[in-house]
């Protein structure tokens, strides 16, 4: 058949579809006849309901179903014949004018754009790298020690100091009036670990058990409690208990408690370094990938299909509702979420997806089986039973699709870094882990 494709604007196209009315009517009758074998109606035995009753009850829905199927099939055939890459679902409208015995429809839709990727040699990309230093290993050891620390009550004559766990009663007032969240009894925190505002933390240092103290505290302008942000309060604090923390020594016993078979401090440090290097690798990859993707988008020219952006906005809106529901928000599925807030991000995602797909196609950057296997095995190393994790990934098509997407992005990243003007930057370990 010859398909006439009308260009409306940029990516928008229109095709007129014609279907013989008899084909529609015959299919409707066939489906109603099949339905009559199982339909139930008062006063009739199953399978003996008259066709007139079946048609009256189900005729409209069957007609709608058949029209959808037949028009959808005709559109798919027409798009294939015209070699069109359709983006999103078409909008179908029936035409008033049609030939005798015919039904005519207009299918309006968008096609995928031509993606032009400029010369990547002119793109500038900053590539970061991070080393796992002895200092990073020491800090990780400190965290592990704190996770296994114990506390013992200080002597009554000793004041609270850095690292102590204190139990206090406190009450805060602003202009002489109590405020929400400003009072607590038996409240515990550890001095010097940033659990409290710095002024509060400093004020309790040196206090002894049973002692009370009043001090002013200025809440920061950006404090999370908006009612008190930027205001000054007076706090009355009473020290109830002071406990000195005891950190386990980094020795063979400590190493064994962390599952190090050799039971040596050297083996423990080696294991920590290996785990940190694995985490650093993934974080560095993510940062470099983001830099590459930004450069790719800047280097590409394309028109965005509105249908794909709308689909992405719908997915993001649904994701936002699911997040609200997970947080326990009542009637999250009815929450008014304006779709327009997602449009900029949706456009960016669609643009990036189209650009990456074109680069992958043009440069054969698809994920290879051995790359998928290697990526899964590397991720699995951070778990107690790596072989079980590998099987878990390989047994599920959806999980494998997610792995494939990551590997493809890694291939794209390496390809672009090999083409672009790359500036290397050493990123401190702390800065990488804080990001």
């Amino acid at each position: 058949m010859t398909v006439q494709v009308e260009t409306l604007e940029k990516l928008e196209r229109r095709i007129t579809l014609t279907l013989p009315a008899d084909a529609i009517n015959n299919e409707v009758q066939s489906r109603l006849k099949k339905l009559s074998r199982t339909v139930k109606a008062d006063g009739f035995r199953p399978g003996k309901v008259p066709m007139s009753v079946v048609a009256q009850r189900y005729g409209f829905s069957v007609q709608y179903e058949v029209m959808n199927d037949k028009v959808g099939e005709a559109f798919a055939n027409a798009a294939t014949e015209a070699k069109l890459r359709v983006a999103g679902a078409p909008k179908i409208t029936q035409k008033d004018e049609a030939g005798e015995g015919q039904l005519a429809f207009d299918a309006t839709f968008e096609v995928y754009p031509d993606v032009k990727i400029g010369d990547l040699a002119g793109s500038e990309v900053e590539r970061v790298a991070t080393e796992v230093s002895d200092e990073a290993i020491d800090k990780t050891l400190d965290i592990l020690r704190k996770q296994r620390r114990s506390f013992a009550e200080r002597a009554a004559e000793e004041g609270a100091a850095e690292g102590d766990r204190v139990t206090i009663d406190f009450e805060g007032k602003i202009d002489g009036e109590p405020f929400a969240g400003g009072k607590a009894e038996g409240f515990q925190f550890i001095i010097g670990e940033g659990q409290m505002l710095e002024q509060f933390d400093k004020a309790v240092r040196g206090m002894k058990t049973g002692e009370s103290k009043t001090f002013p505290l200025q809440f920061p302008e950006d404090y999370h409690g908006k009612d008190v942000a930027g205001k000054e309060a007076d706090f009355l604090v009473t020290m109830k208990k002071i406990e000195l923390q005891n950190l386990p020594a980094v020795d063979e016993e400590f190493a064994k408690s962390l599952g190090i078979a050799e039971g040596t401090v050297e083996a423990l440090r080696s294991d920590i370094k290996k785990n940190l290097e694995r985490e650093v690798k993934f974080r560095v990859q993510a940062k470099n990938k983001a830099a590459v993707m930004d450069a790719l988008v800047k280097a590409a020219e394309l028109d965005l299909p509105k249908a794909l952006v709308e689909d992405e906005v719908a997915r993001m809106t649904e994701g936002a509702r699911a997040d609200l529901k997970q947080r326990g928000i009542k009637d999250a599925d009815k929450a008014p979420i304006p779709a327009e807030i997602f449009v900029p991000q949706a456009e960016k995602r669609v643009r990036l997806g189209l650009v990456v797909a074109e680069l992958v196609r043009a440069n054969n950057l698809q994920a290879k089986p051995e790359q998928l296997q290697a990526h899964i095995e590397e991720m699995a190393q951070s778990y107690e039973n790596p072989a079980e994790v590998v099987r878990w990934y390989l047994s599920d098509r959806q999980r494998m699709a997610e792995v494939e997407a990551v590997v493809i992005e890694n291939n794209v990243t390496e390809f672009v870094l090999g083409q672009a003007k790359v500036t290397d930057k050493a990123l401190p370990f702390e800065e990488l882990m804080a990001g």
Side-chain angles (χ1 to χ4, degrees):
M1 70 179 167
T2 302
V3 179
Q4 295 295 326
V5 182
E6 184 182 354
T7 299
L8 301 180
E9 60 169 75
K10 292 185 178 180
L11 304 177
E12 198 171 32
R13 305 287 185 270
R14 181 164 60 207
I15 291 177
T16 297
L17 308 168
T18 56
L19 298 172
D22 285 347
I24 300 290
N25 293 331
N26 290 341
E27 180 63 20
V28 170
Q29 292 305 312
S30 174
R31 293 191 189 187
L32 285 174
K33 188 174 182 181
K34 185 178 180 180
L35 190 62
S36 70
R37 298 171 193 160
T38 56
V39 73
K40 296 179 180 179
D42 292 340
F44 299 98
R45 286 181 295 155
K48 299 297 182 180
V49 180
M51 279 296 295
S52 58
V53 175
V54 176
Q56 184 179 18
R57 184 176 295 182
Y58 298 103
F60 180 80
S61 60
V62 171
Q63 174 91 10
Y64 181 79
E65 182 184 280
V66 170
M67 292 279 274
N68 270 354
D69 290 349
K70 291 297 183 182
V71 173
E73 182 183 345
F75 175 75
N77 291 337
T80 301
E81 176 72 18
K83 298 179 180 178
L84 297 171
R85 295 175 63 229
V86 179
K91 294 178 182 177
I92 308 291
T93 55
Q94 187 168 354
K95 300 183 71 171
D96 294 331
E97 311 87 16
E100 187 175 350
Q102 299 283 325
L103 297 174
F105 303 85
D106 277 338
T108 305
F109 56 97
E110 289 179 290
V111 294
Y112 278 89
D114 291 327
V115 179
K116 297 177 183 177
I117 299 176
D119 184 9
L120 293 173
S123 298
E124 297 183 358
V125 179
E126 183 179 78
R127 177 173 57 195
V128 301
T130 299
E131 289 189 9
V132 176
S133 63
D134 286 340
E135 184 182 359
I137 296 172
D138 290 339
K139 286 185 177 180
T140 304
L141 271 171
D142 286 341
I143 292 171
L144 293 171
R145 293 174 72 202
K146 285 180 178 178
Q147 289 172 348
R148 289 158 179 79
R149 63 191 166 188
S150 59
F151 292 88
E153 195 164 350
R154 271 191 183 277
E157 68 275 8
E158 295 180 355
E162 177 92 9
D164 286 352
R165 182 170 70 184
V166 297
T167 303
I168 61 172
D169 293 343
F170 68 83
E171 181 175 16
K173 294 182 179 181
I174 296 176
D175 296 330
E177 295 295 327
F179 57 90
K183 182 179 181 179
E185 293 181 357
F187 182 83
Q188 279 189 343
F189 72 96
I190 297 174
I191 297 175
E193 293 199 353
Q195 295 168 268
M196 305 295 281
L197 290 174
E198 187 176 357
Q199 284 177 272
F200 199 108
D201 196 273
K202 286 182 177 180
V204 300
R205 293 172 190 246
M207 289 183 67
K208 298 177 181 179
T209 303
E211 184 180 347
S212 294
K213 180 179 183 179
T214 300
F215 61 90
L217 183 144
Q218 181 70 43
F219 284 103
E221 294 290 345
D222 59 352
Y223 190 68
H224 60 82
K226 294 181 180 179
D227 291 341
V228 298
K231 297 179 181 179
E232 184 176 282
D234 290 310
F235 274 90
L236 171 63
V237 174
T238 300
M239 184 66 68
K240 308 296 286 187
K241 184 195 282 188
I242 305 171
E243 295 171 285
L244 174 69
Q245 68 169 297
N246 296 307
L247 294 170
V250 180
D251 53 18
E252 291 185 1
E253 184 180 345
F254 183 66
K256 287 178 181 177
S257 73
L258 291 168
I260 303 300
E262 297 92 327
T264 66
V265 174
E266 184 180 352
L268 172 59
R269 292 182 68 88
S270 176
D271 186 68
I272 290 172
K273 184 175 183 180
K274 184 172 64 176
N275 288 327
L276 288 179
E277 284 176 340
R278 188 183 303 114
E279 177 66 17
V280 162
K281 179 181 178 180
F282 284 127
R283 290 190 178 227
V284 164
Q285 277 184 337
K287 276 192 171 293
N288 290 336
K289 187 185 299 182
V292 161
M293 297 307 171
D294 285 344
L296 259 182
V297 169
K298 289 177 183 176
E301 293 182 17
L302 69 155
D303 292 319
L304 287 183
K306 296 174 186 175
L308 296 187
V309 174
E310 289 170 0
D311 289 346
E312 186 62 32
V313 167
R315 274 192 292 271
M316 294 174 72
T317 304
E318 193 57 37
R321 291 191 190 283
D323 182 56
L324 290 175
K325 188 174 182 179
Q326 192 172 17
R327 294 184 188 185
I329 303 297
K330 187 179 179 182
D331 295 329
D333 54 333
K334 299 174 185 176
I337 301 178
E340 58 269 18
I341 65 174
F342 297 114
V343 170
Q345 192 178 355
E347 289 179 343
K348 184 176 181 180
R349 287 186 183 183
V350 171
R351 186 183 301 277
L352 184 57
L354 293 171
V355 173
V356 167
E358 175 58 24
L359 199 69
V360 170
R361 183 200 65 77
N363 298 281
N364 193 28
L365 301 176
Q366 292 83 2
K368 297 178 177 60
E370 59 269 25
Q371 288 181 310
L372 297 175
Q373 185 72 24
H375 186 75
I376 292 171
E377 289 177 357
E378 186 172 20
M379 288 193 300
Q381 292 309 307
S382 59
Y383 292 88
E384 194 172 333
N385 191 336
E388 187 177 320
V389 175
V390 171
R391 285 193 296 272
W392 183 77
Y393 272 102
L394 294 175
S395 65
D396 187 274
R397 189 172 297 176
Q398 179 62 35
R399 288 192 285 264
M400 286 302 295
E402 292 170 0
V403 172
E404 183 179 14
V406 171
V407 171
I408 288 173
E409 288 177 351
N410 290 343
N411 289 347
V412 168
T413 300
E414 291 304 312
F415 177 83
V416 174
L417 288 174
Q419 303 284 320
K421 294 178 182 177
V422 177
T423 303
D424 287 309
K425 175 187 175 183
L427 190 66
F429 177 83
E430 295 78 9
E431 189 176 335
L432 175 71
M433 301 307 282

